[in-house]
Amino acid sequence: MNSQFRRALAVALAACAGAAGLAGCGSSDNGSSNGKVTISVDCQPPKSNKTDRDAWNADVAAFQKLHPNITIKSVDKFPCEEPASFTAQLRGGTEADVFYAYATDTEQVLDSGQVADITPYVTDKTVPGLSDLDKTTLNVGRRNGKLYSLPRTNYAMGLVINRKLFKQAGLDPDQPPTTWAEVAKDAKQITEKVGHGVAGYADYSAGNNGGWHFTAEMYAQGGQVVTADGKKADFNNANGRAILTRLHEMRYTDDSMGAKQNLAWADLLKLASAGKVGMYVGAPDTIKAIHENFKGDYADFGMGPMPGETGPAPATLGGGDQYFFKKTDTPAQIRAGIAWLAYEELTPGKGQFDYARGKRIGQTVGQPEPQLFTGDTEAKIEKLRADNATVPVDNYASFREHPVPFKVEPPNAQAIYKVLDTAMSAVLTNRNADVGKLLATAEQQVNQVLAATG
Amino acid sequence: MQTRTLVSPTRLHRPGAKAAYWIVLGAVIVLFTLVFIGPLYWMVTGGLKTAQETAQAPPTWWPAHPDPGNYATAWSQLSLGRLLANTVLYAAGALAFQLVFDVAAAYALSKLRPVLGNVVLAAMIGTLMIPATVLIVPQYLTVLDLPILHANLLNTPWAIWLPSVTNAFNIFLLKRFFDAVPEELLAAGAIDGAGPIRTLWSIVLPISRPILGVVSIFAVTNVWKDFLWPLLAEADPARQPLNVGIYSLSQNVPQNILIAALAIAAAPTVVIFLIFQRNIMSGLAAGSLKG
Amino acid sequence: MTVTAAPRRSQRSTRSGQIRVPRYGRGVRRNLTGWLLLAGGVLCFLLFSWYPMIREFVLSVQQTRFGETSFVGLANYQRVIDDPAFWQAWRNTAEFTGLALLLGFALPFLIAVVLNEFRHAQGYLRVLVYLPVMLPPASALLLFKYAYDPGDGLFNSILSTFGLPTSQWLQSTTMAMPSLVLASTWMNMGSAVLIYLAALQSIPGELYEAAEIDGARLFRRFWHVTVPQCRLVLSLMLMLQVISTMQMFIEAFLLANGSGPEGATTTVVYLIYQHAFNLNDLGGASALGVLLLLVLAAFAAVYVRLDRPRG
């Protein structure tokens, strides 16, 4: 071999080495030797959120003390689910043994064929509060009688108000509007009295959030976006027209929704935290985000129930998140995972419900969320919350006093939301929007989506 | 530079023409300064405003209560250091891989022309028209699970480095340049007993400086400006390049902190550019694509 | 000196680079060395370009449900084409490309022509034009998003100060796309201007003088000297411009939350992204990818046909 070859070979080898030297991910050992089990669990709070992370780590240590044979490997992710990488992990089977998903993504997870059926493992014994668990929430992870997931949190939408702007407009912040007619009236009053480009009411119309809120408002009308059998769109009717017409009038006739539209999740909350929005539809977690991310003040925000036609709505949209178990988990791992979830997510006074500690270390305590349970268990949690509250609990009084049953999201939620975004965006950005035509087009598209996925 | 251009010098010396020239020049200078420096001024001052003031209408030309604290907050929230380090790592690796693999390939295709070389060249140039984005799904699945090796490259620098080599435009440029290298030069080397690789190293590369400069600028710029691919391939916040990191940040900080972060993120390259603008400008000009 | 490689039949002019001088010993060795040098590049192309292209076609006729992947023929194509958003996305992409040609292609050339006439401050002006290229695109775009605020953002304030009509910018179906192009042009124009300037400066002055002696006025000199002399650069830039605008994503994603008002900024690439990563529909996304691939290939064929080199 002369030097010529050697050098060319070196280049080629470098290429191969480059390709071969790629660290493959170490295969996770299903380490359950001699009764010891190791499980990886998603959604440890990120390093940037020291408070929550320390609490999580303390819980892991305490849990491992209780169960010396179980080792929890925390997977730190923020946000807990990032759609693209979530999709990737499902394709590649690289998710954690106990992995996190939004309620909306249940279909996707089941379609991937990556999940274990945990029905036989979930009993009153393994999950002590099981009988009190809210059925709607638990059933998010149930298909054909089989249970695939356990809930982590849930939310129900109501009407978030800016108390400061209410006062400035001469409205009573302890009496948020409970009908849409009142919402429109109050929004107009806020815009006119406060001025400075404040929108009395704001709503989403981008990033699939528009369709999400349209759905919530449809439930509030006593309607639905998809028929009960999940085969046809069900919004091209008086309810759908009422929603879009109302928004269009608030935007263009009353001029009470401000000029900024096409808002996606963060856009609206940024405006709200800068004191530019009087009211919007949302769950308590949006106020948490306003405080933690966008530096708004808890004291400025309060909540009322989801408004309806004649009083608080008959139903509101709810959702949440959950933990699934990977198909390759051993029975021992599933049992360990359930024990951990029962401890961390589903026990009053422990884990996420350890409100005494929460108050001590400066977490947010006192928001009416999640409401995973009913009956005695929920009462216990409510009491703990009230005793350790760090936020003005009274601001949520109206929301708590009018509990509105929640309905889960439709099948293929994201695809439907995407279609409905267009209608929402049209009534909020186009003075000459034709509500009837928008609904007819959206209906045709949603029917296509439903037909295609059968 | 005093070469003859569109307008003739004699015309410029006519009475009145001089004045017109200066008026046009002045207007262009003012306009350009406003259009290109204005936004930067507004970004830097916007970063000093309160969240309320950034949402205020009409906008203020100067912050009512300048608060440099926004920059401190933005700095800590943005983790700019890490994002920049990621970006530099991705850009440097992409540059190295492209310089080695693309130069070697272009040289082989231009001067050695091994069997099936034209087929390879055609297949490479064929991808010139196909933007990477079109193949985003299969490419993503490939990186997720590399055929044969079954490695998952997501959240590793390889996911940026290796696909960057498939830059048909750079290969096309390099090959065109090598084609123009006189055969006599190589022949001289061959007579001295130099093989093709030594010829490449000691004869071809030294005279290819301008084109290597251009290719390097393209390689680095591509990584610097890319968004969708790193958004998907480097989803882990600790591994994102700057461009994606800014977007992630925009989703969870108030507007005034975000504007401060935008200014901070823009600062390093703008400063480097202003310091080395002469070299960068001449580098771009030297390798300009002359027909 | 033996030659083992098949003689090449080149249709092209025999420039020096086209003459094969097999001086490197036997052909076998030359081939081996050549292929060794090609190995890295070819491997990368195989993995990240050619194989994904084939896979795109395969994925576009498949569907995955409950972990089972099945062949579904053209159902994915049927589904994406039936979606009204599909045609809208094509219209939007065409509109963006057309506008970008007007603004992003013609404007830098005109700016370069004007700058080239100046005997003063040219360096300063070049630096200015190139400055935005140095910003991270996300920085530039999020700044524009803020300036486009329809309420009373920076742009509307400036317009109303001068008594000009304001605009809804990103929130009007007609103005959303031009707003995207404007932002995109501002941040990308610098490189094109510099490339054109270099080309302009290499035009021999005698050509202008000759044209002048023939009595050609300013505009005719521009049209008959400047443009033909820059023909190669212009045509190359045109191709690059079309390719890059066809894959516009970040502008829509950051400025208009992707789809914009009533879907006015949904581009084909954004639709692909939505199907793949938002709707969990890899089949639909791949079908869209294949269609975009075919359109671009057709464009390439037309381009090559029109862009026959001189002589």
Side-chain angles (χ1 to χ4, degrees), chain A residues 312-331:
Chain A
T316 183
L317 186 142
D321 47 19
Q322 56 199 326
Y323 276 109
F324 285 97
F325 290 74
K326 201 166 153 182
K327 203 182 182 82
T328 52
D329 290 357
T330 61

mmCIF file of all heavy atoms in Angstrom, chain A residues 312-331:
data_model
loop_
_atom_site.group_PDB
_atom_site.id
_atom_site.type_symbol
_atom_site.label_atom_id
_atom_site.label_comp_id
_atom_site.label_asym_id
_atom_site.label_seq_id
_atom_site.Cartn_x
_atom_site.Cartn_y
_atom_site.Cartn_z
ATOM 1 N N PRO A 312 -74.681 29.971 34.060
ATOM 2 C CA PRO A 312 -73.491 29.149 33.862
ATOM 3 C C PRO A 312 -73.759 28.010 32.882
ATOM 4 O O PRO A 312 -74.874 27.471 32.839
ATOM 5 C CB PRO A 312 -73.197 28.622 35.264
ATOM 6 C CG PRO A 312 -73.747 29.671 36.172
ATOM 7 C CD PRO A 312 -74.968 30.213 35.486
ATOM 8 N N ALA A 313 -72.764 27.670 32.106
ATOM 9 C CA ALA A 313 -72.928 26.705 31.023
ATOM 10 C C ALA A 313 -73.326 25.330 31.544
ATOM 11 O O ALA A 313 -72.978 24.969 32.664
ATOM 12 C CB ALA A 313 -71.619 26.594 30.243
ATOM 13 N N PRO A 314 -74.070 24.555 30.715
ATOM 14 C CA PRO A 314 -74.412 23.184 31.100
ATOM 15 C C PRO A 314 -73.198 22.262 31.079
ATOM 16 O O PRO A 314 -73.170 21.242 31.761
ATOM 17 C CB PRO A 314 -75.434 22.767 30.045
ATOM 18 C CG PRO A 314 -75.168 23.652 28.869
ATOM 19 C CD PRO A 314 -74.670 24.948 29.429
ATOM 20 N N ALA A 315 -72.185 22.614 30.287
ATOM 21 C CA ALA A 315 -70.986 21.776 30.226
ATOM 22 C C ALA A 315 -69.834 22.638 29.744
ATOM 23 O O ALA A 315 -70.037 23.656 29.097
ATOM 24 C CB ALA A 315 -71.188 20.611 29.265
ATOM 25 N N THR A 316 -68.629 22.222 30.078
ATOM 26 C CA THR A 316 -67.459 22.950 29.607
ATOM 27 C C THR A 316 -66.421 21.940 29.149
ATOM 28 O O THR A 316 -66.535 20.752 29.442
ATOM 29 C CB THR A 316 -66.887 23.847 30.716
ATOM 30 O OG1 THR A 316 -65.784 24.580 30.185
ATOM 31 C CG2 THR A 316 -66.414 23.041 31.910
ATOM 32 N N LEU A 317 -65.453 22.435 28.418
ATOM 33 C CA LEU A 317 -64.446 21.514 27.924
ATOM 34 C C LEU A 317 -63.417 21.244 29.007
ATOM 35 O O LEU A 317 -62.995 22.143 29.726
ATOM 36 C CB LEU A 317 -63.744 22.096 26.690
ATOM 37 C CG LEU A 317 -62.765 21.162 25.992
ATOM 38 C CD1 LEU A 317 -62.854 21.339 24.482
ATOM 39 C CD2 LEU A 317 -61.334 21.387 26.419
ATOM 40 N N GLY A 318 -63.066 19.987 29.144
ATOM 41 C CA GLY A 318 -62.030 19.629 30.102
ATOM 42 C C GLY A 318 -61.045 18.700 29.443
ATOM 43 O O GLY A 318 -61.338 18.060 28.438
ATOM 44 N N GLY A 319 -59.892 18.633 30.015
ATOM 45 C CA GLY A 319 -58.874 17.731 29.485
ATOM 46 C C GLY A 319 -57.836 17.574 30.550
ATOM 47 O O GLY A 319 -58.105 17.771 31.732
ATOM 48 N N GLY A 320 -56.632 17.246 30.135
ATOM 49 C CA GLY A 320 -55.592 17.096 31.128
ATOM 50 C C GLY A 320 -54.445 16.295 30.562
ATOM 51 O O GLY A 320 -54.210 16.294 29.354
ATOM 52 N N ASP A 321 -53.773 15.613 31.452
ATOM 53 C CA ASP A 321 -52.675 14.785 30.985
ATOM 54 C C ASP A 321 -52.646 13.501 31.790
ATOM 55 O O ASP A 321 -53.355 13.357 32.775
ATOM 56 C CB ASP A 321 -51.352 15.540 31.063
ATOM 57 C CG ASP A 321 -51.184 16.241 32.400
ATOM 58 O OD1 ASP A 321 -51.874 15.868 33.359
ATOM 59 O OD2 ASP A 321 -50.364 17.170 32.486
ATOM 60 N N GLN A 322 -51.829 12.572 31.349
ATOM 61 C CA GLN A 322 -51.885 11.229 31.913
ATOM 62 C C GLN A 322 -50.547 10.529 31.721
ATOM 63 O O GLN A 322 -49.690 11.004 30.975
ATOM 64 C CB GLN A 322 -52.967 10.449 31.180
ATOM 65 C CG GLN A 322 -52.722 10.431 29.672
ATOM 66 C CD GLN A 322 -53.947 10.079 28.867
ATOM 67 O OE1 GLN A 322 -54.763 9.290 29.294
ATOM 68 N NE2 GLN A 322 -54.078 10.655 27.687
ATOM 69 N N TYR A 323 -50.403 9.418 32.401
ATOM 70 C CA TYR A 323 -49.216 8.582 32.217
ATOM 71 C C TYR A 323 -49.618 7.250 31.601
ATOM 72 O O TYR A 323 -50.524 6.579 32.090
ATOM 73 C CB TYR A 323 -48.526 8.326 33.559
ATOM 74 C CG TYR A 323 -47.585 9.431 33.976
ATOM 75 C CD1 TYR A 323 -47.902 10.283 35.026
ATOM 76 C CD2 TYR A 323 -46.359 9.602 33.336
ATOM 77 C CE1 TYR A 323 -47.028 11.284 35.425
ATOM 78 C CE2 TYR A 323 -45.479 10.605 33.726
ATOM 79 C CZ TYR A 323 -45.812 11.441 34.767
ATOM 80 O OH TYR A 323 -44.940 12.421 35.154
ATOM 81 N N PHE A 324 -48.915 6.876 30.536
ATOM 82 C CA PHE A 324 -49.091 5.562 29.916
ATOM 83 C C PHE A 324 -47.928 4.661 30.297
ATOM 84 O O PHE A 324 -46.901 5.127 30.787
ATOM 85 C CB PHE A 324 -49.119 5.692 28.386
ATOM 86 C CG PHE A 324 -50.387 6.247 27.832
ATOM 87 C CD1 PHE A 324 -50.489 7.593 27.517
ATOM 88 C CD2 PHE A 324 -51.482 5.429 27.608
ATOM 89 C CE1 PHE A 324 -51.660 8.114 26.993
ATOM 90 C CE2 PHE A 324 -52.657 5.937 27.086
ATOM 91 C CZ PHE A 324 -52.747 7.284 26.774
ATOM 92 N N PHE A 325 -48.091 3.391 30.013
ATOM 93 C CA PHE A 325 -47.021 2.423 30.277
ATOM 94 C C PHE A 325 -46.591 1.818 28.949
ATOM 95 O O PHE A 325 -47.433 1.444 28.129
ATOM 96 C CB PHE A 325 -47.527 1.333 31.220
ATOM 97 C CG PHE A 325 -47.764 1.841 32.615
ATOM 98 C CD1 PHE A 325 -48.867 2.636 32.897
ATOM 99 C CD2 PHE A 325 -46.866 1.569 33.637
ATOM 100 C CE1 PHE A 325 -49.071 3.139 34.173
ATOM 101 C CE2 PHE A 325 -47.070 2.068 34.911
ATOM 102 C CZ PHE A 325 -48.179 2.857 35.184
ATOM 103 N N LYS A 326 -45.297 1.727 28.796
ATOM 104 C CA LYS A 326 -44.743 1.232 27.547
ATOM 105 C C LYS A 326 -45.042 -0.256 27.383
ATOM 106 O O LYS A 326 -45.055 -1.003 28.363
ATOM 107 C CB LYS A 326 -43.236 1.444 27.591
ATOM 108 C CG LYS A 326 -42.553 1.475 26.281
ATOM 109 C CD LYS A 326 -41.163 2.025 26.527
ATOM 110 C CE LYS A 326 -40.176 1.535 25.516
ATOM 111 N NZ LYS A 326 -38.858 2.077 25.845
ATOM 112 N N LYS A 327 -45.240 -0.663 26.149
ATOM 113 C CA LYS A 327 -45.622 -2.042 25.856
ATOM 114 C C LYS A 327 -44.607 -3.050 26.399
ATOM 115 O O LYS A 327 -44.970 -4.156 26.797
ATOM 116 C CB LYS A 327 -45.745 -2.211 24.345
ATOM 117 C CG LYS A 327 -46.648 -3.365 23.962
ATOM 118 C CD LYS A 327 -46.724 -3.535 22.471
ATOM 119 C CE LYS A 327 -47.675 -4.658 22.128
ATOM 120 N NZ LYS A 327 -49.074 -4.210 22.145
ATOM 121 N N THR A 328 -43.334 -2.643 26.384
ATOM 122 C CA THR A 328 -42.285 -3.596 26.760
ATOM 123 C C THR A 328 -42.084 -3.693 28.271
ATOM 124 O O THR A 328 -41.219 -4.446 28.727
ATOM 125 C CB THR A 328 -40.950 -3.173 26.125
ATOM 126 O OG1 THR A 328 -40.719 -1.788 26.467
ATOM 127 C CG2 THR A 328 -40.983 -3.290 24.624
ATOM 128 N N ASP A 329 -42.867 -2.955 29.055
ATOM 129 C CA ASP A 329 -42.706 -3.022 30.511
ATOM 130 C C ASP A 329 -43.046 -4.430 31.020
ATOM 131 O O ASP A 329 -44.002 -5.050 30.557
ATOM 132 C CB ASP A 329 -43.642 -2.011 31.200
ATOM 133 C CG ASP A 329 -43.208 -0.576 30.964
ATOM 134 O OD1 ASP A 329 -42.160 -0.380 30.320
ATOM 135 O OD2 ASP A 329 -43.916 0.345 31.405
ATOM 136 N N THR A 330 -42.271 -4.889 31.991
ATOM 137 C CA THR A 330 -42.579 -6.176 32.632
ATOM 138 C C THR A 330 -43.704 -5.931 33.640
ATOM 139 O O THR A 330 -43.918 -4.796 34.074
ATOM 140 C CB THR A 330 -41.359 -6.710 33.392
ATOM 141 O OG1 THR A 330 -41.019 -5.745 34.402
ATOM 142 C CG2 THR A 330 -40.164 -6.893 32.477
ATOM 143 N N PRO A 331 -44.433 -7.001 34.029
ATOM 144 C CA PRO A 331 -45.473 -6.827 35.051
ATOM 145 C C PRO A 331 -44.922 -6.131 36.292
ATOM 146 O O PRO A 331 -45.601 -5.276 36.876
ATOM 147 C CB PRO A 331 -45.916 -8.250 35.364
ATOM 148 C CG PRO A 331 -45.639 -8.999 34.101
ATOM 149 C CD PRO A 331 -44.415 -8.360 33.498
#
